[in-house]
Amino acid sequence: MERYRLYIDATQCEPASGEWFTSDNPFTGEPWAQVARGGAPDVERAVQAAQRAFTTGAWPALSASARGLLLHRLGDRLAEEAECLASIEVRDNGKLYSEMHAQLGYLPQWFRYYGGLADKIQGSVIPLDKKGYFNYTRHEPLGEVAIITPWNSPLMLLAWKLAPALAAGCTVVIKPSEFTSASTLAFARLFKEVGFPPGVVNVVTGFGNEVGAPLVSHPLVRKITFTGANATGRRINEQAARDFKHVSLELGGKSPNIVFADANLDDAVNGAVAGIFAATGQTCIAGSRLLVQDSIHDAFVHRVVQLAESARMGDPMQKDTQIGPITTRPQYDKVLSYIDIAREEGATLELGGKAAVRRECGNGWFIEPTIFTGVRNSMRIAQEEVFGPVLSVIRFRDEDEAVEIANDVRFGLGAGVWTSDIGRAFRMAERIQSGTVWVNTYRAVSYMSPFGGYKDSGLGRENGIEAINDFFQTKSVWINTGAPTGNPFVIR
Ligand code: NAD
């Protein structure tokens, strides 16, 4: 079994504990790699390395343009490694190779975009109300940043944080999910190769309480950027608040995908099915609440069920597989328990509702694509994030009721609207409380477009120009150009 070591100060190293844990392949249910079990001493070494790199040596001496060039080079190397890294991710998280390969093929753009942005960050000269002073601002990097990622799209969610952090001139310690650490460690090896100074990027693998917690509370860490579950995000936010650290949080969702009777229904059926069953429902933006207008409800649901039923499940490495396994055993148990909850709450099962026992699924953690109708928005299956292939269908009468149902949830990450009425599209986009609204499409993301949550779905934005500002602090500089400095004790 291949061993994945920690990456600290540009060196692959053994964990202080001398211990390793296994990473399991969700398709076979078998361990396939050994990963270093980091702990507080490794966190200490990594943060110290990040601090040295931030304050001394080559990194702070680089011009912003030179930093940008390094990010470009990294993007180019990442493009060359896309196939290899995608296969590692599939072994770790069981998502389709076709999806992970496409994702990895797109990721270099994050490093190129923020590499290009690095030398376009400018302070400003303030036209003061006072004579005799020159006042200007500088945007300075925050310092050592902790990046904590989940298991569903390890390298993509890492790139969203890492590219702007490095472009801003910060240094980082990365803590990937204990379920999917291997691709981050394999990716980290590229940094030395393309010329990043030691200590700028460090990776400490291990468990949340053993690595994540000491990292968040480390006094030298100035910012935490986190993607993961709400409960963890809350804990991190509370800890960070005690030490006045900056925090960005990308958390859960319970996104409404809203289909009006006037929509192009062929597209809407595809969008509804892709919205929930892509990535086996394990995405924060899963369109897990399908809101369907009364007049088309039955016929539309029939078509959604038919399409979902036709999906081929199996080995995620195979080109023709359309739905892969659930990434982790605990997540598999959680999804099945939500299916029981939905039944107990009185929702009507239209499809699936059980573990998938099919020859092509082997011993993997598979669950049948599951669709419930008759769901009321107050039910737990409509309010809580399942993070799996479970769709709740809810009826609505008109635009007002659709908005009311869409917003009646503590999350606000994504929302889909399917309509051919342009006025309605604009009205819905304005009224829905959500960080992203897609009209006649679903799940589109780009390095150029801000992404983040309203309400309990998070704090801050990733992607787009504004994301880099989260890694700077602004300094105001006053220069006396001739104002008298009077005796403070003379009363005028
Ligand atoms: P999780 O919160 O369990 O784990 C995420 C990371 O936090 C892991 O690396 C974990 O080890 C670490 N962690 C755990 N306890 C910690 C602690 N006390 N201190 C510091 N770090 C700690 O989440 P998960 O199960 O890996 O991911 C699934 C969740 O992520 C879902 O709820 C999903 O909605 C969310 N998610 C959100 C987005 C988004 O952009 N909004 C994207 C993907 C996933």
PDB file of all heavy atoms in Angstrom, residues 148-152 157 175-178 206-209 212-213 216 226-229 232 235-236 250-253 284 385 387 413 451 457, ligand 1:
ATOM      1  N   ILE A 148      -8.888  24.313   5.719  1.00  0.00           N
ATOM      2  CA  ILE A 148      -9.450  23.021   6.160  1.00  0.00           C
ATOM      3  C   ILE A 148     -10.530  22.609   5.161  1.00  0.00           C
ATOM      4  O   ILE A 148     -11.467  23.367   4.896  1.00  0.00           O
ATOM      5  CB  ILE A 148     -10.020  23.144   7.587  1.00  0.00           C
ATOM      6  CG1 ILE A 148      -8.909  23.615   8.535  1.00  0.00           C
ATOM      7  CG2 ILE A 148     -10.604  21.811   8.052  1.00  0.00           C
ATOM      8  CD1 ILE A 148      -9.333  23.801   9.975  1.00  0.00           C
ATOM      9  N   THR A 149     -10.363  21.412   4.586  1.00  0.00           N
ATOM     10  CA  THR A 149     -11.252  21.001   3.482  1.00  0.00           C
ATOM     11  C   THR A 149     -12.008  19.700   3.805  1.00  0.00           C
ATOM     12  O   THR A 149     -11.568  18.906   4.624  1.00  0.00           O
ATOM     13  CB  THR A 149     -10.430  20.798   2.189  1.00  0.00           C
ATOM     14  OG1 THR A 149      -9.322  19.930   2.481  1.00  0.00           O
ATOM     15  CG2 THR A 149      -9.913  22.117   1.656  1.00  0.00           C
ATOM     16  N   PRO A 150     -13.141  19.478   3.112  1.00  0.00           N
ATOM     17  CA  PRO A 150     -13.934  18.264   3.302  1.00  0.00           C
ATOM     18  C   PRO A 150     -13.574  17.189   2.275  1.00  0.00           C
ATOM     19  O   PRO A 150     -12.619  17.359   1.517  1.00  0.00           O
ATOM     20  CB  PRO A 150     -15.358  18.768   3.067  1.00  0.00           C
ATOM     21  CG  PRO A 150     -15.201  19.792   1.985  1.00  0.00           C
ATOM     22  CD  PRO A 150     -13.822  20.399   2.163  1.00  0.00           C
ATOM     23  N   TRP A 151     -14.391  16.123   2.234  1.00  0.00           N
ATOM     24  CA  TRP A 151     -14.024  14.975   1.401  1.00  0.00           C
ATOM     25  C   TRP A 151     -14.685  14.943   0.031  1.00  0.00           C
ATOM     26  O   TRP A 151     -14.329  14.118  -0.799  1.00  0.00           O
ATOM     27  CB  TRP A 151     -14.342  13.653   2.125  1.00  0.00           C
ATOM     28  CG  TRP A 151     -15.680  13.589   2.832  1.00  0.00           C
ATOM     29  CD1 TRP A 151     -15.880  13.717   4.178  1.00  0.00           C
ATOM     30  CD2 TRP A 151     -16.976  13.384   2.269  1.00  0.00           C
ATOM     31  NE1 TRP A 151     -17.209  13.617   4.475  1.00  0.00           N
ATOM     32  CE2 TRP A 151     -17.907  13.399   3.318  1.00  0.00           C
ATOM     33  CE3 TRP A 151     -17.446  13.170   0.964  1.00  0.00           C
ATOM     34  CZ2 TRP A 151     -19.280  13.227   3.126  1.00  0.00           C
ATOM     35  CZ3 TRP A 151     -18.811  13.003   0.768  1.00  0.00           C
ATOM     36  CH2 TRP A 151     -19.705  13.034   1.840  1.00  0.00           C
ATOM     37  N   ASN A 152     -15.626  15.811  -0.237  1.00  0.00           N
ATOM     38  CA  ASN A 152     -16.371  15.577  -1.484  1.00  0.00           C
ATOM     39  C   ASN A 152     -15.633  15.993  -2.752  1.00  0.00           C
ATOM     40  O   ASN A 152     -15.680  15.285  -3.745  1.00  0.00           O
ATOM     41  CB  ASN A 152     -17.779  16.187  -1.414  1.00  0.00           C
ATOM     42  CG  ASN A 152     -17.760  17.652  -1.070  1.00  0.00           C
ATOM     43  OD1 ASN A 152     -16.798  18.148  -0.515  1.00  0.00           O
ATOM     44  ND2 ASN A 152     -18.817  18.349  -1.412  1.00  0.00           N
ATOM     45  N   LEU A 157     -12.008  22.226  -3.874  1.00  0.00           N
ATOM     46  CA  LEU A 157     -12.311  23.138  -2.773  1.00  0.00           C
ATOM     47  C   LEU A 157     -11.028  23.712  -2.170  1.00  0.00           C
ATOM     48  O   LEU A 157     -11.021  24.834  -1.664  1.00  0.00           O
ATOM     49  CB  LEU A 157     -13.172  22.426  -1.728  1.00  0.00           C
ATOM     50  CG  LEU A 157     -14.529  21.991  -2.317  1.00  0.00           C
ATOM     51  CD1 LEU A 157     -15.299  21.112  -1.346  1.00  0.00           C
ATOM     52  CD2 LEU A 157     -15.371  23.183  -2.731  1.00  0.00           C
ATOM     53  N   LYS A 175      -5.171  21.326   5.968  1.00  0.00           N
ATOM     54  CA  LYS A 175      -5.605  20.112   6.676  1.00  0.00           C
ATOM     55  C   LYS A 175      -6.742  19.524   5.834  1.00  0.00           C
ATOM     56  O   LYS A 175      -7.884  19.980   5.884  1.00  0.00           O
ATOM     57  CB  LYS A 175      -6.074  20.516   8.079  1.00  0.00           C
ATOM     58  CG  LYS A 175      -7.188  19.703   8.678  1.00  0.00           C
ATOM     59  CD  LYS A 175      -6.756  18.331   9.122  1.00  0.00           C
ATOM     60  CE  LYS A 175      -7.954  17.579   9.697  1.00  0.00           C
ATOM     61  NZ  LYS A 175      -8.599  16.708   8.695  1.00  0.00           N
ATOM     62  N   PRO A 176      -6.435  18.497   5.025  1.00  0.00           N
ATOM     63  CA  PRO A 176      -7.503  17.880   4.228  1.00  0.00           C
ATOM     64  C   PRO A 176      -8.339  16.934   5.073  1.00  0.00           C
ATOM     65  O   PRO A 176      -7.958  16.600   6.204  1.00  0.00           O
ATOM     66  CB  PRO A 176      -6.741  17.103   3.149  1.00  0.00           C
ATOM     67  CG  PRO A 176      -5.366  16.878   3.687  1.00  0.00           C
ATOM     68  CD  PRO A 176      -5.121  17.860   4.802  1.00  0.00           C
ATOM     69  N   SER A 177      -9.460  16.491   4.516  1.00  0.00           N
ATOM     70  CA  SER A 177     -10.308  15.540   5.245  1.00  0.00           C
ATOM     71  C   SER A 177      -9.559  14.229   5.467  1.00  0.00           C
ATOM     72  O   SER A 177      -8.832  13.757   4.600  1.00  0.00           O
ATOM     73  CB  SER A 177     -11.581  15.263   4.446  1.00  0.00           C
ATOM     74  OG  SER A 177     -12.240  14.129   4.972  1.00  0.00           O
ATOM     75  N   GLU A 178      -9.772  13.626   6.614  1.00  0.00           N
ATOM     76  CA  GLU A 178      -9.140  12.339   6.916  1.00  0.00           C
ATOM     77  C   GLU A 178      -9.618  11.233   5.964  1.00  0.00           C
ATOM     78  O   GLU A 178      -8.983  10.199   5.832  1.00  0.00           O
ATOM     79  CB  GLU A 178      -9.386  11.928   8.371  1.00  0.00           C
ATOM     80  CG  GLU A 178     -10.836  11.900   8.832  1.00  0.00           C
ATOM     81  CD  GLU A 178     -11.326  13.270   9.339  1.00  0.00           C
ATOM     82  OE1 GLU A 178     -10.931  14.305   8.770  1.00  0.00           O
ATOM     83  OE2 GLU A 178     -12.096  13.291  10.318  1.00  0.00           O
ATOM     84  N   GLY A 206      -4.638  14.093   9.044  1.00  0.00           N
ATOM     85  CA  GLY A 206      -5.036  13.498  10.323  1.00  0.00           C
ATOM     86  C   GLY A 206      -6.485  13.835  10.615  1.00  0.00           C
ATOM     87  O   GLY A 206      -7.225  14.261   9.721  1.00  0.00           O
ATOM     88  N   PHE A 207      -6.860  13.667  11.872  1.00  0.00           N
ATOM     89  CA  PHE A 207      -8.263  13.806  12.251  1.00  0.00           C
ATOM     90  C   PHE A 207      -8.584  15.226  12.722  1.00  0.00           C
ATOM     91  O   PHE A 207      -7.685  15.977  13.119  1.00  0.00           O
ATOM     92  CB  PHE A 207      -8.600  12.776  13.328  1.00  0.00           C
ATOM     93  CG  PHE A 207      -8.423  11.368  12.811  1.00  0.00           C
ATOM     94  CD1 PHE A 207      -7.234  10.677  12.999  1.00  0.00           C
ATOM     95  CD2 PHE A 207      -9.439  10.763  12.067  1.00  0.00           C
ATOM     96  CE1 PHE A 207      -7.061   9.398  12.478  1.00  0.00           C
ATOM     97  CE2 PHE A 207      -9.270   9.490  11.534  1.00  0.00           C
ATOM     98  CZ  PHE A 207      -8.072   8.804  11.746  1.00  0.00           C
ATOM     99  N   GLY A 208      -9.868  15.533  12.695  1.00  0.00           N
ATOM    100  CA  GLY A 208     -10.308  16.885  13.010  1.00  0.00           C
ATOM    101  C   GLY A 208      -9.857  17.338  14.392  1.00  0.00           C
ATOM    102  O   GLY A 208      -9.309  18.430  14.560  1.00  0.00           O
ATOM    103  N   ASN A 209     -10.061  16.478  15.406  1.00  0.00           N
ATOM    104  CA  ASN A 209      -9.703  16.893  16.773  1.00  0.00           C
ATOM    105  C   ASN A 209      -8.196  16.869  17.010  1.00  0.00           C
ATOM    106  O   ASN A 209      -7.678  17.596  17.853  1.00  0.00           O
ATOM    107  CB  ASN A 209     -10.438  16.022  17.810  1.00  0.00           C
ATOM    108  CG  ASN A 209     -10.159  14.543  17.592  1.00  0.00           C
ATOM    109  OD1 ASN A 209      -9.693  14.137  16.530  1.00  0.00           O
ATOM    110  ND2 ASN A 209     -10.423  13.734  18.595  1.00  0.00           N
ATOM    111  N   GLY A 212      -7.027  19.446  13.077  1.00  0.00           N
ATOM    112  CA  GLY A 212      -7.834  20.642  12.801  1.00  0.00           C
ATOM    113  C   GLY A 212      -7.925  21.558  14.012  1.00  0.00           C
ATOM    114  O   GLY A 212      -7.683  22.774  13.903  1.00  0.00           O
ATOM    115  N   ALA A 213      -8.232  20.997  15.169  1.00  0.00           N
ATOM    116  CA  ALA A 213      -8.441  21.825  16.367  1.00  0.00           C
ATOM    117  C   ALA A 213      -7.166  22.577  16.779  1.00  0.00           C
ATOM    118  O   ALA A 213      -7.200  23.796  16.969  1.00  0.00           O
ATOM    119  CB  ALA A 213      -8.992  20.974  17.508  1.00  0.00           C
ATOM    120  N   VAL A 216      -6.544  25.430  14.288  1.00  0.00           N
ATOM    121  CA  VAL A 216      -7.445  26.580  14.428  1.00  0.00           C
ATOM    122  C   VAL A 216      -7.044  27.437  15.631  1.00  0.00           C
ATOM    123  O   VAL A 216      -7.100  28.662  15.586  1.00  0.00           O
ATOM    124  CB  VAL A 216      -8.904  26.080  14.571  1.00  0.00           C
ATOM    125  CG1 VAL A 216      -9.834  27.191  15.013  1.00  0.00           C
ATOM    126  CG2 VAL A 216      -9.383  25.470  13.257  1.00  0.00           C
ATOM    127  N   PHE A 226     -12.515  27.546   5.712  1.00  0.00           N
ATOM    128  CA  PHE A 226     -13.027  26.198   5.975  1.00  0.00           C
ATOM    129  C   PHE A 226     -14.194  25.866   5.052  1.00  0.00           C
ATOM    130  O   PHE A 226     -15.069  26.703   4.823  1.00  0.00           O
ATOM    131  CB  PHE A 226     -13.504  26.154   7.437  1.00  0.00           C
ATOM    132  CG  PHE A 226     -14.314  24.933   7.794  1.00  0.00           C
ATOM    133  CD1 PHE A 226     -13.690  23.734   8.117  1.00  0.00           C
ATOM    134  CD2 PHE A 226     -15.703  24.982   7.801  1.00  0.00           C
ATOM    135  CE1 PHE A 226     -14.442  22.598   8.452  1.00  0.00           C
ATOM    136  CE2 PHE A 226     -16.465  23.854   8.142  1.00  0.00           C
ATOM    137  CZ  PHE A 226     -15.825  22.664   8.465  1.00  0.00           C
ATOM    138  N   THR A 227     -14.207  24.650   4.538  1.00  0.00           N
ATOM    139  CA  THR A 227     -15.411  24.112   3.898  1.00  0.00           C
ATOM    140  C   THR A 227     -15.740  22.807   4.592  1.00  0.00           C
ATOM    141  O   THR A 227     -14.866  21.952   4.761  1.00  0.00           O
ATOM    142  CB  THR A 227     -15.191  23.853   2.392  1.00  0.00           C
ATOM    143  OG1 THR A 227     -14.931  25.096   1.754  1.00  0.00           O
ATOM    144  CG2 THR A 227     -16.425  23.229   1.756  1.00  0.00           C
ATOM    145  N   GLY A 228     -16.994  22.658   4.984  1.00  0.00           N
ATOM    146  CA  GLY A 228     -17.377  21.426   5.664  1.00  0.00           C
ATOM    147  C   GLY A 228     -18.745  21.563   6.301  1.00  0.00           C
ATOM    148  O   GLY A 228     -19.557  22.403   5.894  1.00  0.00           O
ATOM    149  N   ALA A 229     -18.961  20.747   7.320  1.00  0.00           N
ATOM    150  CA  ALA A 229     -20.280  20.663   7.942  1.00  0.00           C
ATOM    151  C   ALA A 229     -20.547  21.869   8.853  1.00  0.00           C
ATOM    152  O   ALA A 229     -19.613  22.472   9.392  1.00  0.00           O
ATOM    153  CB  ALA A 229     -20.359  19.374   8.745  1.00  0.00           C
ATOM    154  N   THR A 232     -19.129  21.741  12.518  1.00  0.00           N
ATOM    155  CA  THR A 232     -17.688  22.002  12.591  1.00  0.00           C
ATOM    156  C   THR A 232     -17.422  23.486  12.357  1.00  0.00           C
ATOM    157  O   THR A 232     -16.597  24.100  13.048  1.00  0.00           O
ATOM    158  CB  THR A 232     -16.934  21.165  11.529  1.00  0.00           C
ATOM    159  OG1 THR A 232     -17.477  19.855  11.503  1.00  0.00           O
ATOM    160  CG2 THR A 232     -15.459  21.109  11.819  1.00  0.00           C
ATOM    161  N   ARG A 235     -18.066  25.475  15.450  1.00  0.00           N
ATOM    162  CA  ARG A 235     -17.000  25.301  16.453  1.00  0.00           C
ATOM    163  C   ARG A 235     -15.772  26.144  16.067  1.00  0.00           C
ATOM    164  O   ARG A 235     -15.166  26.819  16.892  1.00  0.00           O
ATOM    165  CB  ARG A 235     -16.623  23.811  16.521  1.00  0.00           C
ATOM    166  CG  ARG A 235     -16.002  23.427  17.828  1.00  0.00           C
ATOM    167  CD  ARG A 235     -15.829  21.921  17.957  1.00  0.00           C
ATOM    168  NE  ARG A 235     -17.035  21.172  17.656  1.00  0.00           N
ATOM    169  CZ  ARG A 235     -17.057  20.019  16.979  1.00  0.00           C
ATOM    170  NH1 ARG A 235     -15.951  19.494  16.498  1.00  0.00           N
ATOM    171  NH2 ARG A 235     -18.189  19.380  16.759  1.00  0.00           N
ATOM    172  N   ILE A 236     -15.419  26.096  14.793  1.00  0.00           N
ATOM    173  CA  ILE A 236     -14.244  26.849  14.323  1.00  0.00           C
ATOM    174  C   ILE A 236     -14.487  28.347  14.491  1.00  0.00           C
ATOM    175  O   ILE A 236     -13.614  29.097  14.946  1.00  0.00           O
ATOM    176  CB  ILE A 236     -13.954  26.487  12.841  1.00  0.00           C
ATOM    177  CG1 ILE A 236     -13.385  25.066  12.776  1.00  0.00           C
ATOM    178  CG2 ILE A 236     -13.003  27.500  12.194  1.00  0.00           C
ATOM    179  CD1 ILE A 236     -13.172  24.531  11.380  1.00  0.00           C
ATOM    180  N   GLU A 250     -17.575  27.940   4.238  1.00  0.00           N
ATOM    181  CA  GLU A 250     -18.492  27.440   3.209  1.00  0.00           C
ATOM    182  C   GLU A 250     -19.145  26.202   3.799  1.00  0.00           C
ATOM    183  O   GLU A 250     -18.474  25.190   4.010  1.00  0.00           O
ATOM    184  CB  GLU A 250     -17.732  27.061   1.931  1.00  0.00           C
ATOM    185  CG  GLU A 250     -17.006  28.202   1.273  1.00  0.00           C
ATOM    186  CD  GLU A 250     -17.920  29.196   0.593  1.00  0.00           C
ATOM    187  OE1 GLU A 250     -19.164  29.038   0.632  1.00  0.00           O
ATOM    188  OE2 GLU A 250     -17.391  30.159   0.027  1.00  0.00           O
ATOM    189  N   LEU A 251     -20.439  26.288   4.079  1.00  0.00           N
ATOM    190  CA  LEU A 251     -21.080  25.221   4.855  1.00  0.00           C
ATOM    191  C   LEU A 251     -22.149  24.493   4.023  1.00  0.00           C
ATOM    192  O   LEU A 251     -21.997  24.355   2.821  1.00  0.00           O
ATOM    193  CB  LEU A 251     -21.638  25.824   6.145  1.00  0.00           C
ATOM    194  CG  LEU A 251     -20.595  26.624   6.948  1.00  0.00           C
ATOM    195  CD1 LEU A 251     -21.211  27.333   8.131  1.00  0.00           C
ATOM    196  CD2 LEU A 251     -19.438  25.744   7.387  1.00  0.00           C
ATOM    197  N   GLY A 252     -23.186  24.046   4.666  1.00  0.00           N
ATOM    198  CA  GLY A 252     -24.137  23.175   3.994  1.00  0.00           C
ATOM    199  C   GLY A 252     -25.192  23.915   3.183  1.00  0.00           C
ATOM    200  O   GLY A 252     -25.193  25.137   3.087  1.00  0.00           O
ATOM    201  N   GLY A 253     -26.089  23.127   2.594  1.00  0.00           N
ATOM    202  CA  GLY A 253     -27.176  23.710   1.817  1.00  0.00           C
ATOM    203  C   GLY A 253     -28.404  22.804   1.808  1.00  0.00           C
ATOM    204  O   GLY A 253     -28.331  21.625   2.195  1.00  0.00           O
ATOM    205  N   CYS A 284     -22.524  20.354  -1.747  1.00  0.00           N
ATOM    206  CA  CYS A 284     -23.220  21.323  -0.895  1.00  0.00           C
ATOM    207  C   CYS A 284     -24.319  22.040  -1.662  1.00  0.00           C
ATOM    208  O   CYS A 284     -25.260  22.546  -1.077  1.00  0.00           O
ATOM    209  CB  CYS A 284     -22.218  22.319  -0.346  1.00  0.00           C
ATOM    210  SG  CYS A 284     -21.166  22.977  -1.632  1.00  0.00           S
ATOM    211  N   GLU A 385     -29.760  18.888   5.771  1.00  0.00           N
ATOM    212  CA  GLU A 385     -28.927  18.441   4.653  1.00  0.00           C
ATOM    213  C   GLU A 385     -28.644  16.945   4.772  1.00  0.00           C
ATOM    214  O   GLU A 385     -28.150  16.479   5.789  1.00  0.00           O
ATOM    215  CB  GLU A 385     -27.602  19.209   4.664  1.00  0.00           C
ATOM    216  CG  GLU A 385     -26.755  18.900   3.460  1.00  0.00           C
ATOM    217  CD  GLU A 385     -25.435  19.660   3.469  1.00  0.00           C
ATOM    218  OE1 GLU A 385     -24.737  19.608   4.495  1.00  0.00           O
ATOM    219  OE2 GLU A 385     -25.125  20.298   2.454  1.00  0.00           O
ATOM    220  N   PHE A 387     -26.967  15.202   2.107  1.00  0.00           N
ATOM    221  CA  PHE A 387     -25.684  15.015   1.438  1.00  0.00           C
ATOM    222  C   PHE A 387     -25.608  13.613   0.821  1.00  0.00           C
ATOM    223  O   PHE A 387     -24.678  12.846   1.036  1.00  0.00           O
ATOM    224  CB  PHE A 387     -24.539  15.233   2.425  1.00  0.00           C
ATOM    225  CG  PHE A 387     -23.377  15.987   1.829  1.00  0.00           C
ATOM    226  CD1 PHE A 387     -23.536  17.267   1.339  1.00  0.00           C
ATOM    227  CD2 PHE A 387     -22.104  15.418   1.744  1.00  0.00           C
ATOM    228  CE1 PHE A 387     -22.468  17.970   0.796  1.00  0.00           C
ATOM    229  CE2 PHE A 387     -21.028  16.109   1.205  1.00  0.00           C
ATOM    230  CZ  PHE A 387     -21.216  17.385   0.725  1.00  0.00           C
ATOM    231  N   LEU A 413     -27.557  28.511   0.028  1.00  0.00           N
ATOM    232  CA  LEU A 413     -26.328  28.379  -0.774  1.00  0.00           C
ATOM    233  C   LEU A 413     -26.612  28.505  -2.270  1.00  0.00           C
ATOM    234  O   LEU A 413     -26.028  29.335  -2.954  1.00  0.00           O
ATOM    235  CB  LEU A 413     -25.655  27.036  -0.463  1.00  0.00           C
ATOM    236  CG  LEU A 413     -24.217  26.906  -0.943  1.00  0.00           C
ATOM    237  CD1 LEU A 413     -23.322  27.983  -0.346  1.00  0.00           C
ATOM    238  CD2 LEU A 413     -23.668  25.528  -0.583  1.00  0.00           C
ATOM    239  N   PHE A 451     -18.825  32.799  -5.074  1.00  0.00           N
ATOM    240  CA  PHE A 451     -19.581  31.646  -4.580  1.00  0.00           C
ATOM    241  C   PHE A 451     -19.566  31.678  -3.057  1.00  0.00           C
ATOM    242  O   PHE A 451     -18.521  31.874  -2.445  1.00  0.00           O
ATOM    243  CB  PHE A 451     -18.927  30.348  -5.065  1.00  0.00           C
ATOM    244  CG  PHE A 451     -19.632  29.107  -4.579  1.00  0.00           C
ATOM    245  CD1 PHE A 451     -20.659  28.550  -5.318  1.00  0.00           C
ATOM    246  CD2 PHE A 451     -19.275  28.515  -3.370  1.00  0.00           C
ATOM    247  CE1 PHE A 451     -21.324  27.413  -4.858  1.00  0.00           C
ATOM    248  CE2 PHE A 451     -19.935  27.385  -2.907  1.00  0.00           C
ATOM    249  CZ  PHE A 451     -20.962  26.843  -3.660  1.00  0.00           C
ATOM    250  N   SER A 457     -25.444  29.038   5.531  1.00  0.00           N
ATOM    251  CA  SER A 457     -24.566  28.383   4.553  1.00  0.00           C
ATOM    252  C   SER A 457     -23.161  28.960   4.542  1.00  0.00           C
ATOM    253  O   SER A 457     -22.310  28.459   3.812  1.00  0.00           O
ATOM    254  CB  SER A 457     -25.184  28.448   3.149  1.00  0.00           C
ATOM    255  OG  SER A 457     -26.286  27.573   3.066  1.00  0.00           O
TER     256      SER A 457
HETATM  257  P1  NAD B   1     -16.627  18.020   8.356  1.00  0.00           P
HETATM  258  O1  NAD B   1     -16.990  19.331   8.938  1.00  0.00           O
HETATM  259  O2  NAD B   1     -16.870  16.805   9.127  1.00  0.00           O
HETATM  260  O3  NAD B   1     -15.073  17.990   8.015  1.00  0.00           O
HETATM  261  C1  NAD B   1     -14.469  19.009   7.249  1.00  0.00           C
HETATM  262  C2  NAD B   1     -13.040  19.189   7.693  1.00  0.00           C
HETATM  263  O4  NAD B   1     -13.023  19.709   9.015  1.00  0.00           O
HETATM  264  C3  NAD B   1     -12.247  17.881   7.743  1.00  0.00           C
HETATM  265  O5  NAD B   1     -10.949  18.115   7.273  1.00  0.00           O
HETATM  266  C4  NAD B   1     -12.239  17.557   9.222  1.00  0.00           C
HETATM  267  O6  NAD B   1     -11.181  16.747   9.632  1.00  0.00           O
HETATM  268  C5  NAD B   1     -12.135  18.942   9.813  1.00  0.00           C
HETATM  269  N1  NAD B   1     -12.524  19.046  11.220  1.00  0.00           N
HETATM  270  C6  NAD B   1     -13.367  18.248  11.918  1.00  0.00           C
HETATM  271  N2  NAD B   1     -13.468  18.669  13.203  1.00  0.00           N
HETATM  272  C7  NAD B   1     -12.670  19.749  13.315  1.00  0.00           C
HETATM  273  C8  NAD B   1     -12.345  20.635  14.395  1.00  0.00           C
HETATM  274  N3  NAD B   1     -12.846  20.477  15.609  1.00  0.00           N
HETATM  275  N4  NAD B   1     -11.512  21.664  14.150  1.00  0.00           N
HETATM  276  C9  NAD B   1     -10.993  21.847  12.916  1.00  0.00           C
HETATM  277  N5  NAD B   1     -11.248  21.037  11.854  1.00  0.00           N
HETATM  278  C10 NAD B   1     -12.074  20.003  12.055  1.00  0.00           C
HETATM  279  O7  NAD B   1     -17.345  17.995   6.940  1.00  0.00           O
HETATM  280  P2  NAD B   1     -17.324  16.806   5.876  1.00  0.00           P
HETATM  281  O8  NAD B   1     -18.236  15.755   6.383  1.00  0.00           O
HETATM  282  O9  NAD B   1     -15.944  16.452   5.510  1.00  0.00           O
HETATM  283  O10 NAD B   1     -17.955  17.531   4.611  1.00  0.00           O
HETATM  284  C11 NAD B   1     -19.289  17.528   4.304  1.00  0.00           C
HETATM  285  C12 NAD B   1     -19.902  18.854   4.602  1.00  0.00           C
HETATM  286  O11 NAD B   1     -19.240  19.886   3.869  1.00  0.00           O
HETATM  287  C13 NAD B   1     -21.335  18.947   4.202  1.00  0.00           C
HETATM  288  O12 NAD B   1     -22.107  19.403   5.268  1.00  0.00           O
HETATM  289  C14 NAD B   1     -21.374  19.956   3.067  1.00  0.00           C
HETATM  290  O13 NAD B   1     -22.516  20.699   2.969  1.00  0.00           O
HETATM  291  C15 NAD B   1     -20.182  20.779   3.309  1.00  0.00           C
HETATM  292  N6  NAD B   1     -19.666  21.329   2.052  1.00  0.00           N
HETATM  293  C16 NAD B   1     -19.841  22.657   1.805  1.00  0.00           C
HETATM  294  C17 NAD B   1     -19.389  23.202   0.621  1.00  0.00           C
HETATM  295  C18 NAD B   1     -19.562  24.671   0.348  1.00  0.00           C
HETATM  296  O14 NAD B   1     -18.845  25.212  -0.486  1.00  0.00           O
HETATM  297  N7  NAD B   1     -20.454  25.361   0.998  1.00  0.00           N
HETATM  298  C19 NAD B   1     -18.753  22.418  -0.308  1.00  0.00           C
HETATM  299  C20 NAD B   1     -18.594  21.066  -0.029  1.00  0.00           C
HETATM  300  C21 NAD B   1     -19.039  20.533   1.165  1.00  0.00           C
END
